[in-house]
Amino acid sequence: MQVIHTIDALRAALAGQPERAFVPTMGNLHEGHLSLIRQAKAAVAGQGGLVVASIFVNRLQFAPHEDFDTYPRTLARDAELLEAAGCDIVFAPDEKTLYPEPQGYKVHPPAELADILEGQFRPGFFIGVCTVVAKLFNIVQPSVAVFGKKDYQQLMVIRRMVQQMALPIRIEAGETSRSDQGLALSSRNGYLSAMEKEQALLLSCTLKNLAARWQAGERDLPALEADAMQALRDAGWQPDYITLRRRHDLGAAVEGEPLVALAAAKLGKTRLIDNIEC
């Protein structure tokens, strides 16, 4: 496996390799990331393609009060994990490589998808995500890219961007990896204490309860969502949202359509997100 730090060196390594599967990450990897690598490898296995993972902590998607400066950088460990998972190339640029000058050109996703849920509580987040992903797509030029369902809204935003920009990239969704107890794996789980990791299981339990009540026939969605928010508050959480939405566009839940329950809440100092399709 090669670890490459510059755009020119990456393009040289990829020359003559038409089939490329790509997994963009911010590093500090866990089993969820590695499952995406294995899925990417399977996606191009028949064509003898390469799997490329990027590791880059993207300043553009962090608000000034968020954890950009303290976000764990663990490149050596990450590279070992990626090699064991079957990755062929790790692209790990520094900030000057990816943003040699202030990034004046940015990708602005549509407000109806990007300014709700995560976008409401993290203004500009999806502009930063789309801008860096578009730039990485241009550098890597993959035929397939794999994104995890844990970041459900991000997956939808990227899919829509690829569709509207007519990019020749197939977007595959990777299932959310969870601990044996059911906690969605996240790089930020490392911020949790042992006690908080146990308390964090309440997030997925509350999502399951919300989905179960809807499936049982309860249709007062504002009341269902308010009950779920209060359950988290009563347990000491600071919830941003917990809601039931249509899967295909994150619009208001409609009976008979595939839905997804999504939540974001802070436990102590750590903000966690999760979702469950229903």
Side-chain angles (χ1 to χ4, degrees), residues 40 73 106 114 235:
R73 275 78 164 172
K106 296 178 181 178

Side-chain angles (χ1 to χ4, degrees), residues 2 19 37 39-40 47 55 83 89 104 132 134 166 182-183 188 192 229 234 245-246 259 266 268 272:
Q2 300 180 70
E19 293 295 328
I37 294 295
Q39 183 172 338
Q47 298 83 27
I55 294 177
E83 184 170 21
I89 295 175
V132 75
L183 178 63
R188 289 187 169 93
L192 299 171
M229 291 279 281
D234 289 346
R245 300 296 179 98
R246 294 193 301 256
L259 303 179
K266 186 176 287 187
L272 302 175

Side-chain angles (χ1 to χ4, degrees), residues 108-185:
H108 288 249
E112 66 269 18
L113 182 58
D115 290 353
I116 61 173
L117 304 175
E118 285 299 285
Q120 178 183 349
F121 290 92
R122 303 181 69 187
F125 172 72
F126 287 113
I127 295 174
V129 168
C130 287
T131 299
V132 75
V133 170
K135 197 161 193 175
L136 289 167
F137 280 170
N138 187 48
I139 293 167
V140 178
Q141 297 186 1
S143 52
V144 58
V146 186
F147 290 80
K149 282 187 181 181
K150 180 183 157 293
D151 297 290
Y152 205 90
Q153 187 176 4
Q154 174 179 276
L155 170 64
M156 296 191 64
V157 168
I158 295 301
R159 274 182 166 161
R160 187 80 59 84
M161 179 181 76
V162 166
Q163 177 187 355
Q164 289 202 356
M165 301 299 286
L167 300 177
I169 303 169
R170 184 175 81 255
I171 302 298
E172 289 195 5
E175 296 296 330
T176 301
S177 296
R178 298 182 180 275
S179 70
D180 293 340
Q181 293 74 33
L183 178 63
L185 300 187

Side-chain angles (χ1 to χ4, degrees), residues 68-114:
F68 173 80
D69 290 326
T70 59
Y71 195 89
R73 275 78 164 172
T74 56
L75 179 58
R77 172 184 171 275
D78 291 343
E80 291 178 1
L81 293 173
L82 288 169
E83 184 170 21
C87 185
D88 297 296
I89 295 175
V90 177
F91 179 49
D94 61 20
E95 200 164 21
K96 285 294 185 182
T97 296
L98 212 55
Y99 300 130
E101 58 186 61
Q103 188 69 29
Y105 288 84
K106 296 178 181 178
V107 179
H108 288 249
E112 66 269 18
L113 182 58

